[in-house]
Amino acid sequence: MKSITLTQYLIEQQREKGAVSAELRLLIEVVARACKRISHAVSKGALGGVLGGAGTDNIQGEAQKKLDVIANEVLVEANEWGGHLAALASEEMEHPHQIPSRYPRGEFLLLMDPLDGSSNIDVNVSIGTIFSVLRCPDGVVDPDEKAFLQPGTNQVAAGFAVYGPCTILVLTVGAGVAAFTLDRELGSFVMTQSEIKLSPDTQEFAINASNMRNWEAPVRRYIDECLAGKTGVRGKDFNMRWVASMVADVFRILSRGGIFMYPCDAKHKAGRLRLMYEANPMAFIIEQAGGAATDGRRRIMEIQPEQLHQRVGVVLGSKAEVDRVTQYHLEAPARA
Ligand code: AFP
């Protein structure tokens, strides 16, 4: 099979499908290059002195790991000077990062979760980077938080890297989903899956079952039915997986189907995952692959964000399963 690099793929998307502009292509390539650097740092582990805590807290009040800080710095540094961005926002930074005045500004806004799956860093389990690209609203010169508060349907690109046994970049520019594996000798991302399509049904679910006592009735109902297996209403056995790195769980679902849930519950009343940095980009990718993504009731990409660091319940993956969970929520009495 002829190998296609990320650069070739993007140029083809630009020329043949008009799905990306030259500016957007360059922006995605810069993000991909930053992911290569992060992948390199991750692969060094203890030898590179990158494991352990940074001794600081992020805006969410969560203890930052050294790699959270390193990945954030790598992405900011790589993106701020290229001239493609009007501003960028990160899960690790309280306010949007303005492009220093010495650099030109572009038309895009970048949102990122620099290091997703922080609890897995020190135990050598897959982690990743998630990103999303929006257009800066017309006429906005110094984009503040308000400029970023756009629904996920406005995304022009989204992607994530998984730093696992190999490094994989998954990307959508709104014309399907493709995955690229990092060829370390060549230093290039080479396409290894094109036109990813999610199977509508599944026999695998992903949820942190330690939250079970806090779940709402519709989630309990769905999981109970899965657990009942062949003897229950579903009439088939289900398997369960939970990596605790959304990037790894979503990549598995893109590869062989499944459903991922981090729903609102009695402990995480507004949800646990971040709308702008995790839920929206993943929802865009999953929908582009033929799947669905809701917060249990509403399509995630149609939610109008009110805050940059807002959280949301997440149910995404194979369409028939997401529709079922959403239906169970809609049939249940509305949340108090
Ligand atoms: P971080 O964003 O702090 O790295 O957390 C990872 C994550 O947001 C997501 O990738 C996982 O699916 C989820 O949190 C895991 O949460 P639990 O540790 O509660 O299972």
Side-chain angles (χ1 to χ4, degrees):
M1 186 181 115
K2 186 175 160 277
S3 62
I4 299 174
T5 63
L6 174 66
T7 304
Q8 285 170 305
Y9 172 80
L10 288 170
I11 290 175
E12 278 168 20
Q13 291 292 319
Q14 184 185 345
R15 272 194 209 142
E16 286 158 32
K17 303 199 176 154
V20 281
S21 61
E23 290 270 296
L24 180 58
R25 172 167 67 80
L26 289 171
L27 163 53
I28 293 168
E29 291 200 61
V30 171
V31 172
R33 255 199 311 277
C35 290
K36 280 187 222 168
R37 282 189 58 193
I38 299 168
S39 166
H40 183 69
V42 168
S43 71
K44 294 264 172 200
L47 300 178
V50 297
L51 303 187
T56 46
D57 285 351
N58 67 10
I59 161 72
Q60 337 269 344
E62 298 159 343
Q64 288 178 304
K65 299 280 187 165
K66 281 186 197 162
L67 265 175
D68 286 320
V69 176
I70 293 169
N72 191 62
E73 282 171 6
V74 167
L75 281 155
V76 171
E77 206 183 288
N79 281 287
E80 67 179 2
W81 63 271
H84 324 298
L85 288 186
L88 65 86
S90 163
E91 189 191 302
E92 299 301 329
M93 298 187 294
E94 185 169 2
H95 301 295
H97 177 82
Q98 299 303 327
I99 303 300
S101 54
R102 61 185 181 280
Y103 300 129
R105 289 197 189 175
E107 57 180 305
F108 296 107
L109 301 173
L110 177 68
L111 292 118
M112 59 201 201
D113 177 358
L115 211 292
D116 180 67
S118 310
S119 70
N120 283 324
I121 293 173
D122 295 342
V123 291
N124 201 28
V125 173
S126 296
I127 50 182
T129 296
I130 310 175
F131 68 95
S132 155
V133 184
L134 295 166
R135 261 179 226 291
C136 187
D138 285 345
V140 174
V141 182
D142 289 310
D144 56 4
E145 173 161 345
K146 223 173 110 216
F148 285 84
L149 301 183
Q150 305 179 36
T153 46
N154 284 8
Q155 292 173 104
V156 292
F160 65 90
V162 191
Y163 312 119
C166 55
T167 288
I168 291 180
L169 183 79
V170 175
L171 177 71
T172 184
V173 290
V177 181
F180 304 82
T181 302
L182 179 59
D183 183 323
R184 292 187 192 276
E185 276 80 51
L186 294 178
S188 303
F189 277 109
V190 178
M191 190 195 280
T192 38
Q193 284 166 275
S194 63
E195 306 282 335
I196 296 177
K197 283 286 164 237
L198 249 172
S199 64
D201 297 299
T202 180
Q203 292 185 219
E204 206 161 67
F205 64 90
I207 192 164
N208 183 342
S210 71
N211 292 320
M212 191 181 291
R213 69 188 180 286
N214 298 316
W215 290 344
E216 293 178 348
V219 174
R220 269 176 195 276
R221 177 180 170 193
Y222 178 78
I223 297 297
D224 282 350
E225 288 178 1
C226 292
L227 294 176
K230 275 196 182 112
T231 57
V233 292
R234 302 301 307 271
K236 59 181 183 181
D237 289 335
F238 280 75
N239 199 357
M240 194 201 82
R241 289 284 183 276
W242 184 251
V243 183
S245 290
M246 192 185 197
V247 287
D249 281 313
V250 171
F251 186 70
R252 185 189 60 254
I253 288 171
L254 288 169
S255 306
R256 65 180 190 210
I259 181 167
F260 170 98
M261 292 196 268
Y262 214 127
C264 297
D265 62 29
K267 183 175 163 205
H268 312 93
K269 287 204 166 66
R272 155 89 164 79
L273 305 181
R274 289 73 172 182
L275 173 62
M276 309 287 292
Y277 310 114
E278 292 167 311
N280 267 340
M282 291 309 201
F284 190 20
I285 291 165
I286 288 286
E287 284 197 9
Q288 282 291 318
T294 73
D295 70 347
R297 292 179 166 82
R298 295 167 296 174
R299 183 180 171 214
I300 283 178
M301 290 215 291
E302 286 176 4
I303 296 173
Q304 173 59 50
E306 283 161 15
Q307 289 166 4
L308 201 49
H309 297 284
Q310 175 173 341
R311 295 176 191 259
V312 70
V314 175
V315 179
L316 59 76
S318 294
K319 184 158 178 7
E321 298 299 318
V322 174
D323 287 351
R324 179 182 282 264
V325 176
T326 307
Q327 189 54 35
Y328 288 180
H329 278 86
L330 295 175
E331 284 169 15
R335 216 180 289 138

